[in-house]
Amino acid sequence: MAAKMEVKVEEVKQLIKEKFHDNNSYFAKEIGMGREYVSAIINERKNADSPKFCNALIAYCEKNSIDYKIYVKVN
């Protein structure tokens, strides 16, 4: 059975604030996703357990030598 992943929304909001000048669009472009989709997750209109978003965020973290577990909860 695959592990269930979930975005830690508050931590991701802090990442966007600190590294992307509080701009969801810059962050979305960096992780290769649409800004509408990213915004929906960040603003909790979509479930935080999106594998697509989690995988993109994990790839970003690995590329930038950041511990992805800060931003993604894996069960």
Side-chain angles (χ1 to χ4, degrees):
M1 188 171 146
K4 182 174 164 67
M5 298 183 292
E6 187 174 321
V7 176
K8 297 179 183 178
V9 174
E10 290 306 315
E11 286 82 350
V12 172
K13 285 181 182 178
Q14 194 62 36
L15 172 72
I16 293 169
K17 188 175 190 173
E18 291 172 5
K19 301 229 187 258
F20 297 93
H21 308 290
D22 212 10
N23 188 313
N24 289 349
S25 295
Y26 292 155
F27 175 68
K29 184 174 182 183
E30 180 67 28
I31 66 169
M33 297 192 72
R35 75 177 164 77
E36 296 87 3
Y37 192 84
V38 169
S39 181
I41 289 177
I42 296 303
N43 294 308
E44 301 180 43
R45 292 188 308 269
K46 272 197 181 303
N47 286 342
D49 63 355
S50 162
K52 183 174 157 183
F53 187 91
C54 289
N55 288 326
L57 185 53
I58 289 169
Y60 164 79
C61 288
E62 288 177 346
K63 185 174 111 180
N64 291 282
S65 302
I66 299 169
D67 181 5
Y68 72 86
K69 291 176 184 154
I70 296 168
Y71 305 108
V72 179
K73 182 169 72 176
V74 181
N75 296 332

